[in-house]
Amino acid sequence: MSKQRYIEAKQRWAEKQKAAGFQPRAVAATDRLPPGQKLTTGFPVLDLGVQPEIPLPEWKLTVDGLVEQPATLDWEQFGALPQVTDVSDFHCVTTWSKYDCAWGGVAFTTLFELVRPLPEARFVYFTGYDGYSTNVPLDRCLDDDVLVATRFGGAPVTREHGGPARVIIPKLYAWKGAKFVRTITFLAEDRLGFWEVRGYHAEGDPWKEERYA
Ligand SMILES: Nc1nc2c(c(=O)[nH]1)N[C@H]1C(S)=C(S)[C@@H](COP(=O)(O)O)O[C@H]1N2
Ligand SMILES: [Mo]
């Protein structure tokens, strides 16, 4: 399926669900699996039909927008930041979930402290080297399980899963985590990302089934 047809199909799917009167399900707070999700043991790959190859010497991450001190980090500088690991569950809006993903990398809060966002900053806009983008409320990025991950299961994040570095926000649907991450921009007003302009939710909390806008 070509990239454009895949995007159109996923957009039509959102429109169909909404037209059919999609309603978030109620769920017990003790459940580990969010409502409407199915557990998978594999690790499906979701992308836009492009898996950009970024040689490490050319890789850069820019953190900018409403911040006191914008930063562009190369691979060495990024690797010199404090590194953490976190095991979390992964929930894709297309209804598969994967438990116990062991990620390693730099905590979002470390980047936050590095650039010092201004008080007006309330949203974060991420872009990827493949042209992807996604938006997240800033407060959802400040949990200690939110990482810019370079490692998965003790090995480098593979290119198909978004290496050299990809964002992980375990408490939101996985489309909120940009693979091949290139820029992180702090904003005062929300700016819709790639799927969000195509009918997906601005916040994307799987426990509230925030699939479609
Ligand atoms: N840059 C980029 N990031 C992306 C995507 C993408 O197409 N491009 N797809 C998103 C979606 S819909 C999901 S479910 C996860 C999939 O991550 P995986 O391929 O490692 O399973 O990445 C998210 N981040
Ligand atoms: Mo997804």
Side-chain angles (χ1 to χ4, degrees), residues 34-55:
Q37 295 293 110
K38 287 188 249 8
L39 192 58
T40 178
T41 48
F43 197 174
V45 172
L46 278 96
D47 57 41
L48 301 177
V50 219
Q51 296 176 351
E53 179 162 15
I54 310 122

Side-chain angles (χ1 to χ4, degrees), residues 14 19 22 26 41 50-51 58 66 78 97 104 107 115 123 126 144 147-148 165 171 177 181 185:
F22 168 82
T41 48
V50 219
Q51 296 176 351
E58 283 161 37
L66 294 171
F78 187 78
S97 291
V115 300
F123 298 93
F126 298 88
D144 59 9
L147 308 187
V148 175
K171 296 191 191 77
V181 63
T185 305

Side-chain angles (χ1 to χ4, degrees), residues 47-165:
D47 57 41
L48 301 177
V50 219
Q51 296 176 351
E53 179 162 15
I54 310 122
L56 294 185
E58 283 161 37
W59 181 89
K60 283 189 173 50
L61 174 67
T62 294
V63 190
D64 62 5
L66 294 171
V67 299
E68 282 178 32
Q69 187 66 62
T72 294
L73 303 168
D74 63 21
W75 187 252
E76 204 182 320
Q77 293 165 327
F78 187 78
L81 294 172
Q83 304 289 312
V84 296
T85 58
D86 184 73
V87 177
S88 58
D89 297 345
F90 190 99
H91 308 296
C92 173
V93 71
T94 61
T95 74
W96 57 270
S97 291
K98 179 176 174 60
Y99 286 164
D100 297 321
C101 299
W103 299 105
V106 172
F108 184 91
T109 52
T110 297
L111 298 172
F112 182 93
E113 286 160 13
L114 185 74
V115 300
R116 298 192 303 275
L118 301 173
E120 303 89 279
R122 289 178 49 232
F123 298 93
V124 187
Y125 186 81
F126 298 88
T127 73
Y129 278 91
D130 59 346
Y132 190 77
S133 56
T134 187
N135 54 297
V136 182
L138 173 56
D139 62 336
R140 303 305 306 251
C141 296
L142 296 176
D143 285 341
D144 59 9
D145 56 4
V146 177
L147 308 187
V148 175
T150 55
R151 306 191 62 82
F152 176 77
V157 172
T158 59
R159 183 163 143 205
E160 58 177 3
H161 286 299

